[in-house]
Amino acid sequence: MKSKNRLLTLMILAASAAAATAVLNKCIKITATSKNLLTQSKSLCFKWRFGTIHYTKEGTGKPLLLIHDLTFASSGYEWSRILPLLKDHYTVYTIDLLGCGLSEKPDLTYTNFLYVQLLSDFVKSEIGHRTDIICSGASSAFAIMACNQNPELFNQLMLINPESIMASSLMPGKYSKIYKIILDLPILGTLLYHIASSKQEITEVFKQKYFYNPYSVKSAYIDTYYESAHLGNSPKSLYASTKCNYTKCNIVNALKKIDNSIYFVGGKAIENIEERAKEYQYYNSAIETSFIENTKLLPHLEHPQEVFKIIQMFFV
């Protein structure tokens, strides 16, 4: 009798804890998205087969596609400070990738191949012309793969702080499937995601990795990234996929084969960034490089004028 009572008590406590956690998760999501910072009146929609893709189109001139870094908090907002400089010279398309920003965030496993298809389909459907690309961080890998698979769609390619060849080639580890299953759990997985995507964590990433000068980090940047991390049906799905390396791909063969003009732009304050650039040049000797002083991963948000100067120098 006592054992039954204990079991019943444990079940009640477990159910109460689950209910409380579910309520907490809901409150976090509502709070994070209440400011509507990413809502744009000029936002357009591309009805892709895996979900609606939001993007903006501004300016006049030859087409230029801006592709933000691939993280759970990233969005086209990453380009907000350099966009006013670019739109006087280009027709600028700023995309929110599937699983990011205002685009749909379906509950699926995100892969490099998925994003390669998205880029190719987007250029065919929404741009309709061979386009230049500027991409940031981890997104550089699938931009390179897309250029290799569909060279007729892409022109010049600028990589801003791409991952190292080794980092972009990582494969899902021994426990990746188990970890992803845990992250996919509706209550516990969501709680773990909310811990990883907290405003405090995003602030630390900005101050330690994104910006060279931590005092340049504005609260608007943090709030917008925080909102982006919590919008949509299943924002944790991209986090689970990137964390478990499902979005990675070996780009060596593609880098060797593509004939596009490629420019490597690095934040000078990133450790070993010059060695990383040489690694890319080893596989494609035609790659040109430039480094921006006093910047880290997001020079286009911290010092947009300096990045714009490089774009004008290379994209002629």
Side-chain angles (χ1 to χ4, degrees), residues 123-312:
V123 173
K124 289 176 185 177
S125 173
E126 305 304 299
I127 300 179
H129 300 279
R130 200 173 186 210
T131 183
D132 293 333
I133 295 180
I134 303 178
C135 49
S136 169
S139 295
S140 302
F142 55 80
I144 289 170
M145 297 296 289
C147 286
N148 180 53
Q149 290 192 15
N150 298 285
E152 73 282 0
L153 298 177
F154 305 101
N155 193 24
Q156 300 174 104
L157 177 60
M158 179 172 285
L159 315 175
I160 299 179
N161 293 315
E163 292 183 315
S164 68
I165 302 292
M166 180 178 293
S168 66
S169 302
L170 291 173
M171 299 294 288
K174 183 178 180 181
Y175 301 106
S176 291
K177 288 185 178 179
I178 297 174
Y179 187 50
K180 190 173 184 303
I181 288 172
I182 293 172
L183 288 171
D184 285 339
L185 293 173
I187 296 177
L188 177 60
T190 302
L191 178 62
L192 292 174
Y193 173 71
H194 284 162
I195 293 171
S197 62
S198 69
K199 189 174 288 190
Q200 181 180 353
E201 289 294 324
I202 292 173
T203 301
E204 287 303 308
V205 170
F206 259 94
K207 291 184 175 181
Q208 294 181 17
K209 296 183 178 180
Y210 288 172
F211 273 36
Y212 171 79
N213 181 3
Y215 298 104
S216 296
V217 178
K218 298 179 180 179
S219 59
Y221 303 159
I222 306 300
D223 290 342
T224 305
Y225 271 64
Y226 184 55
E227 177 179 295
S228 177
H230 293 84
L231 287 171
N233 178 47
S234 184
K236 66 178 180 178
S237 294
L238 177 59
Y239 172 76
S241 297
T242 55
K243 195 73 176 175
C244 297
N245 295 326
Y246 289 105
T247 56
K248 305 291 186 178
C249 181
N250 191 324
I251 63 172
V252 169
N253 288 333
L255 197 59
K256 288 178 180 178
K257 292 178 182 178
I258 58 177
D259 195 31
N260 306 69
S261 295
I262 306 176
Y263 313 101
F264 183 112
V265 178
K268 194 67 179 289
I270 297 174
E271 187 177 1
N272 299 323
I273 189 64
E274 294 184 17
E275 287 77 6
R276 190 184 307 178
K278 290 177 182 177
E279 184 182 28
Y280 275 74
Q281 289 177 316
Y282 175 80
Y283 293 108
N284 190 321
S285 59
I287 295 176
E288 298 181 64
T289 64
S290 184
F291 302 95
I292 304 175
E293 295 286 346
N294 300 327
T295 63
K296 288 189 176 180
L297 283 175
L298 295 181
H300 41 294
L301 192 59
E302 186 171 13
H303 292 300
Q305 288 282 0
E306 297 303 314
V307 178
F308 181 63
K309 289 178 185 176
I310 293 174
I311 294 171
Q312 287 185 304

